[in-house]
Amino acid sequence: MSYVERTLGLIKPDAIAAGHVGKILDRIIQAGFRIVALRMVYLTRAQAEAFYAVHRSRPFFEDLVQFMTSGPVIAFVLEKENAVLHYRALMGATDPAQAAPGTLRALFGQSVERNAVHGSDSPENARREIAFFFSESELVAAQALTPLSA
Ligand code: CMP
């Protein structure tokens, strides 16, 4: 069954530094997602550790936190039917070398760590991750995004 859902996405420091922000957002919009919130933030170490807390015991955790605090990230909330699944398909596999051609990570990622974008992996985590970056009043009502001519 498909229903309108929200997911949290990030453009990571590598993709911002490489000048890929416009191309990534354009592909997301062209794929039919509505952007209902968006902002650029510098994560503190404590924020990066909290965001990736589920990976705390993994060997790559320290490098991941360092990388995610090495520059700004762009956080956004996307809305679409089955947004979590659809955005994960648009991103491609975590490792850009394994990602399907045409996916964001295949196009813009450099390595499994510097993989250009993040997306929530379940509706439950999407709710947690959206609340991590945005308050309820910052999420634009979907009908406000419908073009006047539509
Ligand atoms: P992301 O979708 O942001 O979620 C967790 C991140 O950890 C993941 O993307 C990768 O950037 C990173 N990651 C996952 N596995 C590895 C790994 N084996 N080595 C380094 N980084 C990893």
Side-chain angles (χ1 to χ4, degrees):
M1 209 173 94
S2 71
Y3 51 94
V4 174
E5 189 175 73
R6 286 176 171 176
T7 191
L8 186 282
L10 297 177
I11 300 179
K12 299 188 179 184
D14 59 317
I16 296 177
H20 295 320
V21 172
K23 287 171 280 186
I24 290 172
L25 292 178
D26 188 51
R27 284 176 182 271
I28 289 170
I29 293 164
Q30 293 305 321
F33 293 90
R34 290 170 185 274
I35 299 174
V36 301
L38 182 146
R39 85 149 59 91
M40 180 181 269
V41 287
Y42 280 84
L43 292 174
T44 64
R45 161 166 280 272
Q47 286 173 322
E49 286 178 355
F51 185 78
Y52 281 122
V54 66
H55 298 302
R56 192 173 287 275
S57 60
R58 309 285 287 274
F60 58 81
F61 182 71
E62 178 57 29
D63 279 352
L64 178 62
V65 168
Q66 283 210 14
F67 166 56
M68 292 299 287
T69 55
S70 66
V73 302
I74 293 177
F76 46 86
V77 177
L78 302 178
E79 194 173 86
K80 191 181 196 283
E81 291 195 348
N82 291 324
V84 171
L85 223 61
H86 283 175
Y87 182 57
R88 290 182 71 76
L90 183 66
M91 287 194 301
T94 304
D95 182 353
Q98 310 292 326
T103 59
L104 297 177
R105 283 167 168 163
L107 288 166
F108 304 115
Q110 300 164 47
S111 67
V112 69
E113 180 182 88
R114 305 170 87 82
N115 62 354
V117 287
H118 166 83
S120 309
D121 64 6
S122 68
E124 295 70 35
N125 280 336
R127 279 189 282 279
R128 181 183 72 80
E129 293 181 358
I130 289 169
F132 188 92
F133 283 98
F134 299 99
S135 64
E136 195 56 41
S137 66
E138 291 174 307
L139 303 171
V140 178
Q143 64 268 30
L145 299 170
T146 306
L148 290 176
S149 57

